[in-house]
């Protein structure tokens, strides 16, 4: 069954440090996509980064990178040089290619707080 | 700005009432998705439309319904509202339906049922 697990309910990180947000997933579909979204206190869901199951290289988008370990079924988000504006909820999500519903399944989220 | 618009931003209503939430997808996107975010249930997929046709249903209550119009905007209708329907309702859109299609979310409609 399709499942996303985020085991860190909350994290505190010092500004300018790198931070890794954990995400593990479970699927029997060989083709799937993994996504990270950011939700600041204002409420909107902001797309950050995408990794396809067949991608050979880890995805990167500016300060965001995705540490994709397919055999371990993990897709951790790495934020380099954290900034105060990075304080938000972060959701890992997955979408299966052959699922009857082309929906995104979200994890429970990690609340990241950046200390000045 | 994701390019997805949702109206209204906030809605306060009473139990038993009916409301309509509206969503306009990004230009060119054919798929529209509705999600509900509540404190106890997290983010839940409700329903998807693709080019006017219903494609997938998730945890959508029978009191809720949706449609996608020829101009591709979508409406989510919530009826016989209960206190537990208070939540943030998101619309998202994507160009297609594949696993690699990124869904871009609107700002959400925050519904409070009193």
């Amino acid at each position: 069954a399709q499942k996303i697990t985020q085991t860190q309910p909350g994290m505190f990180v010092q500004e300018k440090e790198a931070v890794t947000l954990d995400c593990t997933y479970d699927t029997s579909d060989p083709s799937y996509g993994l996504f990270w979204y950011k939700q600041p206190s204002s409420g909107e869901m902001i797309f950050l980064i995408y990794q396809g199951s067949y991608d050979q290289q880890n995805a990167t988008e500016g300060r965001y990178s995705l540490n994709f370990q397919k055999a371990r079924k993990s897709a951790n988000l790495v934020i380099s040089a954290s900034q105060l504006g990075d304080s938000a909820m972060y959701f890992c999500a997955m979408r299966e290619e052959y699922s009857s519903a082309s929906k995104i399944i979200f994890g429970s989220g990690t609340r990241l707080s950046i200390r000045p | 700005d994701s390019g997805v618009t949702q109206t209204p931003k906030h809605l306060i209503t009473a139990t038993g009432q009916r409301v309509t939430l509206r969503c306009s997808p990004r230009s060119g996107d054919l798929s529209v998705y509705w999600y509900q975010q509540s404190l106890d249930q997290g983010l839940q997929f409700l329903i998807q439309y693709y080019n006017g046709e219903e494609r997938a249903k998730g945890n959508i209550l029978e009191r809720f319904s949706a449609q996608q119009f020829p101009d591709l905007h979508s409406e989510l209708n919530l009826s016989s509202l209960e206190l537990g329907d208070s939540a943030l309702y998101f619309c998202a859109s994507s160009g297609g339906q594949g696993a690699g299609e990124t869904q871009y979310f609107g700002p959400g409609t925050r519904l409070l049922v009193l």
Side-chain angles (χ1 to χ4, degrees):
Chain A
Q2 192 181 12
K3 187 178 179 181
I4 292 282
T5 303
Q6 293 180 256
T7 56
Q8 306 154 309
M11 289 185 70
F12 287 89
V13 173
Q14 202 67 30
E15 189 180 10
K16 298 181 184 177
E17 287 184 353
V19 56
T20 297
L21 305 182
D22 296 340
C23 172
T24 58
Y25 61 92
D26 190 21
T27 179
S28 56
D29 196 325
S31 179
Y32 51 90
L34 296 159
F35 305 82
W36 277 91
Y37 286 85
K38 172 184 178 181
Q39 187 176 36
S41 57
S42 52
E44 71 267 35
M45 293 288 288
I46 302 168
F47 165 71
L48 295 178
I49 196 167
Y50 161 79
Q51 178 84 42
S53 59
Y54 292 117
D55 292 344
Q56 295 297 313
Q57 295 192 335
N58 288 341
T60 60
E61 289 286 348
R63 292 187 301 112
Y64 304 109
S65 61
L66 201 152
N67 184 0
F68 180 46
Q69 298 188 42
K70 194 170 183 177
R72 294 185 177 184
K73 292 190 175 180
S74 76
N76 298 339
L77 177 70
V78 180
I79 306 175
S80 63
S82 57
Q83 303 171 357
L84 296 178
D86 294 333
S87 294
M89 280 288 287
Y90 288 81
F91 292 95
C92 179
M94 179 174 67
R95 187 179 187 185
E96 295 172 329
E97 182 70 46
Y98 301 112
S99 170
S100 59
S102 53
K103 60 187 176 183
I104 288 183
I105 297 293
F106 287 86
S108 55
T110 295
R111 183 172 298 280
L112 177 64
S113 300
I114 307 298
R115 292 194 181 111
Chain B
D1 186 348
S2 67
V4 179
T5 60
Q6 288 186 249
T7 57
K9 288 187 177 180
H10 302 276
L11 201 47
I12 301 175
T13 188
T15 54
Q17 295 298 304
R18 172 190 169 94
V19 297
T20 297
L21 312 183
R22 182 187 169 102
C23 166
S24 292
R26 294 190 318 157
S27 177
D29 282 357
L30 298 178
S31 276
V32 169
Y33 311 79
W34 287 96
Y35 292 85
Q36 178 194 59
Q37 185 180 31
S38 60
L39 286 175
D40 56 343
Q41 296 287 330
L43 269 156
Q44 300 278 324
F45 167 73
L46 295 178
I47 197 165
Q48 180 210 355
Y49 282 83
Y50 179 80
N51 203 20
E53 293 187 2
E54 181 186 306
R55 283 302 174 95
K57 267 188 175 180
N59 303 321
I60 188 166
L61 300 171
E62 286 192 7
R63 299 183 285 107
F64 297 180
S65 65
Q67 54 183 326
Q68 186 180 28
F69 294 87
D71 66 352
L72 300 178
H73 91 271
S74 178
E75 294 181 356
L76 178 66
N77 300 297
L78 315 176
S79 61
S80 303
L81 285 167
E82 301 175 359
L83 297 178
D85 297 327
S86 296
L88 185 54
Y89 291 85
F90 285 108
C91 167
S93 76
S94 69
Q97 302 185 86
E101 290 281 348
T102 297
Q103 293 183 17
Y104 293 92
F105 283 69
T109 293
R110 197 172 293 275
L111 174 66
L112 179 60
V113 182
L114 301 175

